[in-house]
Amino acid sequence: MSNIPLIGLKADQFRHPLDLEATSTLKQLPGLDLMVRQLLGQLGEQFFMLENLASSVQVGENQLPHLHQLLLDACKTLDLEPPQLYVRQHPMPNAYTFAMRGKQPFVVMHTSLIDLLTDEEVKAVIAHELGHLKCEHGVYLTLANLIVLAAGQFSPVGTVLAQGLQAQMLEWLRCAEFTCDRAALLATQDPKVVASLLMKLAGGSPSLAPKLNVDAFLAQARAYDDLSSTQLGEMLKQAQTAQLSHPVPVLRAREIDRWASSKDYESLLAINRSVCYDGETQKGGWRNW
């Protein structure tokens, strides 16, 4: 059965509470996001677009069409206009998004990541990156990097300030990743697909990936959750993750496992399932997206 398209989906409908809080704090910085968009938006877009056109393969109807279709499917489900998608030769599994002004956003996937994943898991990665676009994370990430770099150019006081800002922004980034994992779940509508993706990021390789056990990894994620439930465990967990830009994979798997069982997730799908069935009755064809 085709995934339910989430017609009219808004970012705050799936945004993780920690991300909602952190992003709201960033939006209170008056005028800085607009300044970054105006000063670097057009230049940044053109520079990185040129660099991608020169050094990557642009996905489209006539170039890696199966990846192009995965992009279109994820965009339809998340109710988002498709960005450009590029594939880049790189030994480190990774994917990233650039969206400064929102006019020419693009997603880049490394070949080594694609080699690890099934098609549904690739769609989950694409949807995760689409989550950054849906929630407009890109401009705040750029803003944070600029502030940190600028603060580090000054006195020791500036260095301390830069470290404080860096810690704050890393915390925000970790919160944003939880939100984008939710976007991956909404696009695939199968929590085991997202958990499998995270498992492969933690300990996968092209030879090991088909042999890994998702249920065992989810049990591992719950064990991690239990071990960090005490005050000491929470302190150790925070120390472990404080300098990371992403939450550890087991924690991300546990979060997505929880949300997949929540009333919020089920309600979001149920509302759109009703809309799709009504649309099929009245207009036809929506369920086949």
Side-chain angles (χ1 to χ4, degrees):
M1 180 177 177
S2 299
N3 289 341
I4 301 166
L6 304 176
I7 300 166
L9 179 69
K10 306 299 182 185
D12 285 350
Q13 290 181 279
F14 66 92
R15 198 188 296 268
H16 193 280
L18 294 176
D19 180 23
L20 181 62
E21 180 180 352
T23 302
S24 296
T25 300
L26 290 178
K27 286 183 177 180
Q28 294 175 10
L29 300 175
L32 290 181
D33 60 337
L34 180 60
M35 178 189 70
V36 175
R37 290 176 190 268
Q38 290 179 338
L39 291 179
L40 295 182
Q42 186 174 0
L43 176 62
E45 281 178 350
Q46 291 182 356
F47 175 82
F48 288 112
M49 189 65 64
L50 183 63
E51 203 268 340
N52 272 295
L53 287 171
S55 305
S56 307
V57 171
Q58 184 175 359
V59 174
E61 293 181 359
N62 299 316
Q63 183 67 272
L64 301 174
H66 70 292
L67 294 180
H68 182 62
Q69 189 59 52
L70 293 176
L71 171 66
L72 296 181
D73 289 347
C75 286
K76 286 179 179 178
T77 305
L78 297 176
D79 200 11
L80 190 68
E81 287 297 317
Q84 293 184 350
L85 176 62
Y86 294 88
V87 173
R88 171 164 295 202
Q89 178 69 39
H90 201 287
M92 179 176 291
N94 194 23
Y96 53 90
T97 302
F98 183 89
M100 180 60 64
R101 296 170 64 89
K103 293 183 178 179
Q104 291 182 310
F106 60 83
V107 173
V108 179
M109 292 189 68
H110 289 175
T111 52
S112 54
L113 179 59
I114 296 172
D115 288 343
L116 283 177
L117 307 178
T118 65
D119 281 352
E120 277 298 293
E121 291 161 359
V122 170
K123 183 163 73 171
V125 171
I126 292 172
H128 177 100
E129 298 305 320
L130 294 177
H132 286 301
L133 297 178
K134 190 82 175 181
C135 296
E136 297 186 340
H137 286 154
V139 68
Y140 295 111
L141 173 60
T142 303
L143 172 62
N145 289 336
L146 287 174
I147 293 173
V148 170
L149 289 172
Q153 300 300 314
F154 297 106
S155 63
V157 174
T159 301
V160 172
L161 176 62
Q163 291 174 346
L165 287 169
Q166 183 181 46
Q168 180 181 359
M169 293 315 306
L170 285 174
E171 182 179 359
W172 172 77
L173 282 172
R174 292 191 293 271
C175 295
E177 291 301 306
F178 285 138
T179 291
C180 294
D181 286 343
R182 290 182 173 191
L185 175 59
L186 291 172
T188 60
Q189 295 171 20
D190 185 345
K192 285 195 173 182
V193 169
V194 183
S196 178
L197 161 63
L198 295 167
M199 174 181 63
K200 291 175 181 179
L201 289 174
S205 70
S207 62
L208 291 177
K211 304 173 184 178
L212 292 171
N213 185 317
V214 176
D215 291 328
F217 185 69
L218 286 173
Q220 177 184 334
R222 297 184 189 105
Y224 175 84
D225 204 35
D226 292 340
L227 283 174
S228 60
S229 62
T230 65
Q231 185 176 4
L232 176 60
E234 182 63 26
M235 290 175 59
L236 291 173
K237 182 173 72 173
Q238 290 180 4
Q240 180 187 49
T241 60
Q243 298 303 312
L244 300 177
S245 62
H246 290 58
V248 293
V250 290
L251 183 57
R252 293 171 65 182
R254 184 66 178 123
E255 280 291 312
I256 212 64
D257 188 41
R258 277 201 189 103
W259 196 60
S261 302
S262 71
K263 291 182 179 179
D264 288 343
Y265 173 70
E266 288 299 328
S267 297
L268 192 55
L269 294 188
I271 291 171
N272 283 276
R273 184 181 293 113
S274 176
V275 169
C276 287
Y277 289 162
D278 290 345
E280 185 183 38
T281 300
Q282 297 171 13
K283 300 180 182 179
W286 285 17
R287 192 169 57 181
N288 293 326
W289 279 14

